Amino acid sequence: MKLKSFDYKTMIPLTGIGVALILTIIMWLTLPGKANAMEKPPSPDTVIASWPASASTIRSAGEAMDVLLASRKLNQSVTAVGQVKHYLEEQEARGKLDPAHKLVKARMLQLYHQFDAASAVLNDVAKSPAHSASALLLLANIQVQMGQFEQARDTCSDLFGQVALIVTLTCTLDADFQSSPSRSTYSRLAALTATQATAPAEQMLWIHETLAAMALQVNEPELARNHLKTIELSSAPVSLIALWMDTYLVEQNPSAIFNRIAPMVADQSSLDDAILLRLAIAEAQAGEDKTWQQRMQQRVAIREWREDNEHAAQLARYYLDVAPDKDKALHFASLHFEHSKTATDAALVARATDAFNQ
């Protein structure tokens, strides 16, 4: 059975600034000698292919960030985050938590929705000239998630002179958009990108993901895909792959998803919730088979049993788009909004509320 047509409210919340790509930018900014934008930066597609199981093999903050970046790629081990957490605990116990390590710690705190603690760490890191830009970018991202849009805008303004102008403008306009989504804000950023796109490759990747997310929220899925057309999905962050999938889900085109994404999945059992959810939605739209829906049902049961609030957005959308249950959909959408308040988070709550009242 096919689901009713989607509008922008169907989009699962993504942070206003793509977190995995922000991590790439942070790593690039903190590498020695990378302040010169004319130098060739490391490829954003670089993934550490294999890491020993022990956290003790991580030797530096840079390696820890590498592991976090790799963990956000498709088909990567979920144990990597635990390794980084263990490594940070070891360093903190030894009194060796320098600004570079604190950046990784802030990202870990953000991952577990401990936004106030993460913000406190980043405000401290921002005092370090070598890490100020990285800290400010991540802080702005967290402030957007917390719904502190004015504070995020102020944080973005502090980036002037530290990063390429288009990065500062993207940070600022995204904060504006998350506060009040509008086509005019999206169009302004798109025009600025076309005329002032002089940032390094990693930063341009993040900018295009931000533009794609904006385009999708103003109900322009084709424009959203256009911003992502040069990106190799097989090596892209999960957040970006999910965004690409949403551009087809909103058009009720599940075959495009099955043809492109399903062959890329190496291990269904460890597939990220965001990707598995969208495969299940595509399957529901197609009205055929129930392989992905059954796997997602099992995942949902585990998340609910664990009272896993970090996946509440996925649970809300599952109960809207795969196995309709208006009570649970509203419960999980509201629960997620307690932790993350971007425009898409608000839209998810609005959609769940509409379903509940019907």
Side-chain angles (χ1 to χ4, degrees):
M1 179 179 70
K2 289 191 175 182
L3 303 178
K4 63 182 181 180
S5 297
F6 286 17
D7 60 16
Y8 78 94
K9 290 183 179 179
T10 64
M11 297 299 100
I12 192 167
L14 296 171
T15 55
I17 304 172
V19 174
L21 294 177
I22 281 290
L23 282 174
T24 305
I25 295 171
I26 288 171
M27 184 174 68
W28 185 87
L29 287 170
T30 54
L31 287 173
K34 294 304 180 185
N36 184 354
M38 297 302 293
E39 294 184 30
K40 183 178 179 181
S43 168
D45 296 338
T46 300
V47 177
I48 305 302
S50 60
W51 287 91
S54 173
S56 63
T57 59
I58 299 177
R59 300 298 182 187
S60 68
E63 287 185 10
M65 192 69 84
D66 281 341
V67 174
L68 275 183
L69 282 168
S71 73
R72 299 310 302 147
K73 307 283 184 169
L74 196 64
N75 300 319
Q76 296 302 309
S77 172
V78 296
T79 63
V81 176
Q83 294 174 23
V84 175
K85 186 174 184 292
H86 183 200
Y87 168 74
L88 289 175
E89 289 171 347
E90 290 178 341
Q91 298 307 302
E92 191 160 16
R94 296 171 182 170
K96 295 183 178 180
L97 219 59
D98 60 17
H101 285 92
K102 288 179 181 179
L103 274 175
V104 184
K105 180 180 180 179
R107 173 61 185 111
M108 292 293 296
L109 289 169
Q110 181 194 34
L111 187 65
Y112 293 106
H113 290 173
Q114 297 179 36
F115 296 142
D116 289 331
S119 297
V121 172
L122 290 169
N123 280 316
D124 180 47
V125 176
K127 300 173 185 176
S128 168
H131 301 89
S132 177
S134 302
L136 292 172
L137 277 167
L138 189 53
L139 180 59
N141 174 248
I142 290 173
Q143 289 169 332
V144 163
Q145 285 186 274
M146 296 177 72
Q148 298 174 353
F149 304 116
E150 285 299 321
Q151 293 95 318
R153 203 178 192 285
D154 290 341
T155 299
C156 294
S157 68
D158 291 337
L159 287 166
F160 277 109
Q162 298 193 53
V163 294
L165 178 60
I166 190 61
V167 173
T168 302
L169 293 173
T170 300
C171 184
T172 303
L173 288 172
D174 185 67
D176 290 342
F177 187 90
Q178 295 303 316
S179 175
S180 180
S182 70
R183 186 177 295 269
S184 62
T185 302
Y186 159 71
S187 298
R188 185 181 175 193
L189 180 57
L192 287 168
T193 301
T195 59
Q196 300 184 35
T198 58
E202 290 86 351
Q203 298 176 24
M204 291 309 302
L205 182 64
W206 160 65
I207 290 167
H208 284 295
E209 184 183 16
T210 302
L211 280 166
M214 286 183 177
L216 193 56
Q217 287 188 65
V218 297
N219 205 26
E220 292 287 357
E222 188 173 351
L223 286 177
R225 282 195 298 275
N226 190 54
H227 290 300
L228 304 176
K229 65 182 180 181
T230 62
I231 298 169
E232 178 52 57
L233 292 179
S234 62
S235 55
V238 164
S239 63
L240 195 149
I241 298 172
L243 177 60
W244 181 91
M245 295 171 78
D246 278 338
T247 69
Y248 283 106
L249 291 178
V250 76
E251 294 180 333
Q252 295 269 322
N253 186 355
S255 61
I257 291 172
F258 292 132
N259 292 338
R260 185 77 180 274
I261 304 301
M264 292 165 48
V265 176
D267 183 2
Q268 296 182 11
S269 64
S270 62
L271 189 61
D272 188 277
D273 280 23
I275 305 302
L276 179 56
L277 169 67
R278 286 160 175 78
L279 287 167
I281 295 173
E283 197 174 65
Q285 288 184 354
E288 303 169 1
D289 201 4
K290 289 196 174 180
T291 302
W292 298 110
Q293 293 174 78
Q294 289 172 351
R295 288 193 175 278
M296 188 62 196
Q297 181 183 33
Q298 294 168 358
R299 190 75 61 84
V300 167
I302 293 172
R303 300 301 184 206
E304 288 191 276
W305 179 72
R306 292 178 177 174
E307 298 182 348
D308 190 345
N309 296 342
E310 290 152 20
H311 294 84
Q314 283 91 339
L315 295 178
R317 192 166 173 191
Y318 172 78
Y319 285 119
L320 285 168
D321 299 331
V322 180
D325 185 322
K326 61 182 183 181
D327 294 306
K328 286 189 175 183
L330 182 58
H331 167 72
F332 286 114
S334 301
L335 183 62
H336 177 73
F337 194 72
E338 292 178 9
H339 301 285
S340 187
K341 295 178 171 63
T342 68
T344 42
D345 299 326
L348 185 66
V349 173
R351 184 174 174 231
T353 301
D354 289 345
F356 182 83
N357 292 329
Q358 287 178 359

